[in-house]
């Protein structure tokens, strides 16, 4: 019997991916590109995504297009709206892509899709309660509770990156509010948190502290100042993850995104000692899907595998 295929798209602040995905989870073709940061409007993103979809479809006859995107989203209207990590205040997706390809288009937050992808093909297989967290340009999350994906009123449930984690350093999130997890532990927020933390240390770094890669790399090499900062970062991460455990009571928390992919063991070691033990702790796992959990989740969503 011929495999059913769908097109899945994952739109992040930095990169996008489009894939032709079969109903067994295999990715038949894949296109990757840089998410446009300049242009007259969000239609620059729409066109780039549409071109990638066209490239992966080829001679296939996919049943639908599923899009996983950084939010916030207006799923009813099919738009990305006022995302703090996107270059445009509004990106129209469903309408233009349905007109271009004549296929139904379903839109889902990328981290909610990541939770589906992990439950279908990753560390959450066979698990009824899981939370997916991506540590990337920003921080996002998605939760499956009792086997059901939580979406919320407009598809934005699970915005864990905007959990309040600190009132002392005053780091400001991209959304404009201080104290959010994303402002401290994301790829863009971590260097600013390090700079604020450093003011009370009476020391200067001997490594590149302008990037999260530089900070975490120094800690991996055993730099004393970077390791000291890891304790402060671990406390912040533990605050947010303790809230996640209390809110969702997951069996497993899957960490994804570039920071987790490259430094997951270091991050887990730094936050484990500081986690609240009010509820039993879940397993903490680093995704083994190579960053494709949201793409696979978008496919699962349109295939009805959730």
């Amino acid at each position: 019997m011929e495999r059913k295929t769908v097109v899945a798209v994952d739109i992040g602040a930095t990169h996008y991916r489009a894939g032709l995905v079969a109903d067994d989870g295999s990715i038949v073709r894949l296109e990757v590109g840089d998410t446009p940061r300049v242009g007259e409007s969000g239609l620059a993103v729409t066109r780039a995504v549409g071109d990638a979809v066209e490239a992966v479809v080829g001679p296939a006859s996919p049943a639908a297009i599923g899009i996983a995107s950084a939010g916030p989203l207006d799923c009813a209207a099919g738009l990305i709206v006022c995302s703090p990590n996107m270059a445009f205040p509004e990106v129209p997706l469903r309408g233009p892509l349905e007109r271009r390809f004549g296929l139904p288009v379903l839109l889902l937050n990328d981290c909610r899709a990541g939770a589906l992808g992990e439950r279908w093909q990753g560390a959450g297989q066979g698990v009824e309660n899981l939370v997916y967290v991506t540590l990337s340009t920003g921080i996002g999350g998605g939760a499956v509770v009792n086997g059901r994906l939580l979406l919320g009123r407009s598809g934005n449930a699970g915005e864990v990156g905007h959990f309040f984690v600190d009132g002392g350093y005053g780091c400001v999130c991209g959304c404009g509010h201080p104290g959010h997890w994303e402002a401290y532990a994301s790829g863009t927020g971590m260097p600013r948190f390090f700079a604020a933390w450093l003011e009370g240390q009476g020391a200067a770094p001997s490594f590149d502290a302008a990037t999260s890669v530089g900070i975490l790399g120094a800690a991996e090499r055993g730099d004393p100042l970077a390791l000291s900062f890891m304790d402060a970062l671990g406390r912040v991460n533990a605050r947010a993850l303790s809230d996640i455990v209390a809110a969702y009571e997951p069996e497993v928390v899957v960490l994804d995104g570039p920071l987790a992919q490259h430094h997951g063991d270091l991050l887990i070691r730094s936050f484990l000692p500081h986690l609240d033990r009010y509820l039993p702790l879940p397993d903490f796992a680093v995704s083994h899907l190579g960053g494709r959990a949201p793409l696979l989740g978008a496919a699962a969503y349109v295939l009805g595998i959730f």
Side-chain angles (χ1 to χ4, degrees):
M1 186 173 66
E2 186 177 354
R3 294 180 299 175
K4 183 178 182 180
T5 60
V6 297
V7 175
V9 180
D10 174 20
I11 305 173
T14 306
H15 305 291
Y16 64 85
R17 300 174 179 179
L20 183 69
V21 182
D23 56 9
D24 63 358
S26 59
I27 299 174
V28 181
R29 281 187 290 277
L30 183 69
E31 288 282 324
V32 180
D34 295 332
T35 303
R37 306 290 302 174
V38 296
E40 74 284 3
S41 72
L43 285 170
V45 177
T46 313
R47 284 193 293 270
V49 167
D51 291 346
V53 169
E54 187 170 322
V56 300
V57 168
S61 300
I65 299 171
I67 299 177
S69 175
L73 305 176
D74 183 338
C75 289
L79 309 172
I80 306 172
V81 288
C82 300
S83 174
N85 296 314
M86 300 288 284
F88 305 99
E90 185 175 285
V91 178
L93 293 168
R94 179 185 296 130
L97 293 177
E98 285 186 340
R99 288 190 293 272
R100 180 169 176 176
F101 295 102
L103 293 172
V105 175
L106 298 181
L107 182 61
L108 182 67
N109 176 276
D110 56 352
C111 292
R112 263 102 282 170
L116 282 186
E118 291 293 338
R119 188 161 187 257
W120 184 28
Q121 297 287 329
Q125 292 180 75
V127 171
E128 291 292 290
N129 298 277
L130 71 96
V131 173
Y132 171 88
V133 175
T134 184
L135 304 171
S136 186
T137 305
I139 295 178
V144 174
V145 178
N146 293 335
R148 300 188 65 178
L149 180 67
L150 296 185
L151 292 174
R153 181 173 61 182
S154 56
N156 293 301
E159 288 287 354
V160 299
H162 300 278
F163 280 6
F164 185 85
V165 295
D166 173 76
Y169 290 98
C171 295
V172 178
C173 184
C175 72
H177 295 282
H180 290 184
W181 189 17
E182 187 171 296
Y184 289 74
S186 67
T188 53
M190 191 184 302
R192 293 194 290 270
F193 177 34
F194 180 85
W197 171 85
L198 189 65
E199 291 180 6
Q201 303 306 307
S206 59
F207 52 87
D208 176 16
T211 66
S212 57
V213 171
I215 295 166
L216 295 174
E220 296 277 16
R221 296 190 299 272
D223 182 274
L225 187 65
L227 286 174
S228 182
F229 172 71
M230 288 307 300
D231 185 68
L233 180 65
R235 291 176 185 274
V236 164
N237 285 337
R239 178 70 273 129
L241 289 163
S242 295
D243 289 349
I244 284 172
V245 173
Y248 303 117
E249 197 181 5
E251 299 159 64
V252 61
V253 174
V254 185
L255 303 177
D256 201 2
L259 301 186
Q261 290 291 330
H262 295 292
H263 304 284
D265 290 344
L266 172 68
L267 292 167
I268 291 171
R269 289 198 306 271
S270 69
F271 67 64
L272 274 178
H274 304 299
L275 287 167
D276 293 347
R277 261 69 175 179
Y278 175 69
L279 294 176
L281 294 185
D283 293 329
F284 291 94
V286 176
S287 174
H288 58 75
L289 294 178
R292 296 182 179 181
L295 189 80
L296 290 168
Y301 193 58
V302 295
L303 286 166
I305 304 173
F306 63 95

